Amino acid sequence: MRSAVDRPIASYRPRSVQNERWFGPITRPRMVSFEVPHRVGDAMSGMIAGFGDGGSAHSGDTGMMQRSFALYQGDSLLMQNGPRPDFGVGGLAPQRLAYRLVADTKGNADLTPYSTTTHTE
């Protein structure tokens, strides 16, 4: 069985009928294939959406929640998020090093019966 992260982005033929479950519980920040951090030369970029549902490969960001994230190399903070879910950092050392991406979300308890906070590293 493939995980939701491995599922391709869906596309549909005109006038076809589909059944999608969009409103599964918001379980955690999620990166689908095109969002996964990647490195080219001395730069790294990616995107971390504030939520992913418990079903198909849906992810997103919304004004209903607060999202924060930070990228570290060891204990050194390389960058923190701005107003957008995408990030980029340059000037990285050429050798292979460990990086850590930390994400926290906080949702509106009035809008969901599910957990309102996540912490993901």
Side-chain angles (χ1 to χ4, degrees):
M1 181 173 172
R2 292 168 43 173
S3 75
V5 171
D6 296 331
R7 292 181 190 153
I9 295 173
S11 62
Y12 305 107
R13 294 180 37 211
R15 294 178 294 285
S16 65
V17 176
Q18 307 298 324
N19 181 11
E20 277 284 336
R21 182 173 177 225
W22 281 87
F23 298 108
I26 296 171
T27 57
R28 65 198 176 282
R30 182 182 215 163
M31 292 180 217
V32 293
S33 61
F34 65 90
E35 298 167 336
V36 173
H38 53 281
R39 183 173 172 156
V40 177
D42 72 343
M44 182 184 301
S45 63
M47 185 167 87
I48 184 159
F51 68 88
D53 70 11
S56 296
H58 301 135
S59 68
D61 223 52
T62 175
M64 297 184 307
M65 69 174 21
Q66 299 170 356
R67 169 201 27 84
S68 65
F69 60 89
L71 179 66
Y72 295 87
Q73 179 185 343
D75 291 331
S76 299
L77 175 65
L78 297 178
M79 57 78 52
Q80 287 181 299
N81 68 297
R84 297 170 41 118
D86 55 344
F87 68 88
V89 62
L92 301 174
Q95 65 269 38
R96 231 181 142 109
L97 299 167
Y99 293 90
R100 181 170 49 106
L101 184 59
V102 179
D104 291 289
T105 61
K106 182 176 181 182
N108 185 335
D110 295 334
L111 301 175
T112 178
Y114 305 111
S115 175
T116 57
T117 62
T118 66
H119 176 81
T120 305
E121 295 192 26

